[in-house]
Amino acid sequence: GNSVTQMEGPVTLSEEAFLTINCTYTATGYPSLFWYVQYPGEGLQLLLKATKADDKGSNKGFEATYRKETTSFHLEKGSVQVSDSAVYFCALSAQYGNKLVFGAGTILRVKS
Amino acid sequence: ETGVTQSPTHLIKTRGQQVTLRCSSQSGHNTVSWYQQALGQGPQFIFQYYREEENGRGNFPPRFSGLQFPNYSSELNVNALELDDSALYLCASSSGGESSYNEQFFGPGTRLTVL
């Protein structure tokens, strides 16, 4: 079946540090890939998405590239801020059907 | 434009009881999906409703059931509650049914505690 594996946290960084959160997936066909963010006490918000191989999703300084050859969708940001502290979820949606399969989430803590 | 809303915010039940959670979808959306998020884990897909019909179900027992109404709002019902049902229940709405490209918009969730 379809699954998503992402790096365990928590990840603790100082402000302005470079961020990478690894995500790999297993899926049949050509899934769409997503990063969602969950701030404390809130629901999930879509951060970025990519719908086909080699697509790069980007938003608010975050980027991720859909790599079919390595089945990966790693999240990166060049300079994190304290306000980026949250839980980040990598997810996929199968080619047919809009059901999301999520990874376990990675807690990011940014210190000033 | 109103976003996805869920009620109640928090709920405490005892084992064996039944619970109903409610979700109002975003304007213009005809598809509602429900997810269970246990503490420290990613959300797990429960089921999806598209134009009032169930359109896919995850690995959850039949005591988890749902409804979608003509205005596309939805209910999640859980019978015979178990301690492991304690979780954050998230509702998400989207348009277009089965297209994997349509963004799902999530509500803030209902925190269910089973004692």
Side-chain angles (χ1 to χ4, degrees):
Chain A
N2 298 332
S3 65
V4 174
T5 303
Q6 57 182 109
M7 66 187 285
E8 290 189 21
V11 173
T12 303
L13 298 173
S14 297
E15 208 164 20
E16 300 184 1
F18 184 84
L19 168 71
T20 299
I21 301 178
N22 290 336
C23 170
T24 57
Y25 68 90
T26 301
T28 54
Y30 301 92
S32 295
L33 302 175
F34 306 84
W35 277 99
Y36 280 83
V37 59
Q38 188 172 38
Y39 297 102
E42 298 184 15
L44 294 171
Q45 299 175 26
L46 179 65
L47 182 59
L48 53 84
K49 70 178 181 183
T51 58
K52 61 183 187 296
D54 300 324
D55 266 3
K56 177 184 283 189
S58 62
N59 186 27
K60 299 179 181 179
F62 291 89
E63 293 182 340
T65 301
Y66 188 143
R67 299 287 188 202
K68 188 162 178 63
E69 65 276 13
T70 55
T71 61
S72 65
F73 193 55
H74 304 320
L75 182 68
E76 296 182 337
K77 187 176 186 183
S79 177
V80 294
Q81 306 299 312
V82 172
S83 58
D84 294 327
S85 299
V87 183
Y88 292 81
F89 293 94
C90 185
L92 69 81
S93 179
Q95 184 174 11
Y96 297 107
N98 201 11
K99 298 84 175 172
L100 290 164
V101 176
F102 286 89
T106 302
I107 296 172
L108 172 64
R109 296 179 181 141
V110 181
K111 304 180 301 183
S112 58
Chain B
E1 182 180 272
T2 306
V4 179
T5 59
Q6 294 186 243
S7 62
T9 305
H10 297 88
L11 204 52
I12 299 175
K13 292 286 189 179
T14 56
R15 199 168 47 180
Q17 286 189 310
Q18 177 266 342
V19 69
T20 297
L21 310 182
R22 294 178 175 83
C23 170
S24 292
S25 59
Q26 188 164 310
S27 176
H29 288 178
N30 56 18
T31 303
V32 171
S33 303
W34 287 92
Y35 295 84
Q36 180 195 67
Q37 185 179 12
L39 196 61
Q41 297 182 23
Q44 299 289 317
F45 174 73
I46 302 175
F47 43 56
Q48 181 183 86
Y49 280 84
Y50 171 57
R51 294 183 177 176
E52 304 179 58
E53 297 286 331
E54 188 178 289
N55 182 42
R57 187 180 184 91
N59 190 26
F60 281 82
R63 60 188 184 84
F64 285 78
S65 63
L67 281 174
Q68 187 178 33
F69 300 100
N71 66 354
Y72 302 129
S73 66
S74 178
E75 287 183 354
L76 164 65
N77 299 290
V78 187
N79 293 322
L81 283 168
E82 300 178 0
L83 297 180
D84 284 349
D85 296 334
S86 295
L88 180 68
Y89 288 84
L90 296 166
C91 168
S93 75
S94 58
S95 60
E98 290 191 336
S99 171
S100 68
Y101 308 134
N102 293 328
E103 179 180 350
Q104 294 192 31
F105 293 82
F106 283 81
T110 294
R111 174 72 63 187
L112 172 65
T113 301
V114 181
L115 303 176

